[in-house]
Amino acid sequence: MVWLACSVAAWLVTGLSILMLDGAVATLADLYDSGFRLSGLGFQDGLLLVMLAMFVSLLAARLSAARHLREIEPV
């Protein structure tokens, strides 16, 4: 379940960084008469982030287990 905690933490860090940068980006966009605004991760993007974190952590666990099993097996 570590992958879940890490992916939720990544989602929160992304949201917090967008909140912190939103004012500065809006001011800069207004200087150039642009309507650009930052937007955070939506539900689908957050779900994709969680699924990718799960896939990467499962792949890493598989590779790690295979490596360690290969080391202890006799030739």
Side-chain angles (χ1 to χ4, degrees):
M1 293 304 263
V2 173
W3 58 268
L4 181 61
C6 291
S7 59
V8 169
W11 198 350
L12 289 175
V13 167
T14 303
L16 289 175
S17 63
I18 287 175
L19 286 176
M20 290 172 48
L21 292 173
D22 190 40
V25 170
T27 303
L28 183 64
D30 288 341
L31 290 174
Y32 288 96
D33 291 328
S34 172
F36 182 79
R37 296 289 183 245
L38 289 177
S39 62
L41 293 175
F43 178 74
Q44 290 179 341
D45 294 331
L47 190 60
L48 179 63
L49 177 71
V50 170
M51 289 172 41
L52 283 174
M54 180 180 67
F55 174 73
V56 168
S57 62
L58 288 174
L59 180 64
R62 167 83 167 104
L63 292 173
S64 177
R67 177 179 170 206
H68 289 293
L69 286 174
R70 197 174 330 118
E71 287 178 3
I72 64 172
E73 285 185 4
V75 177

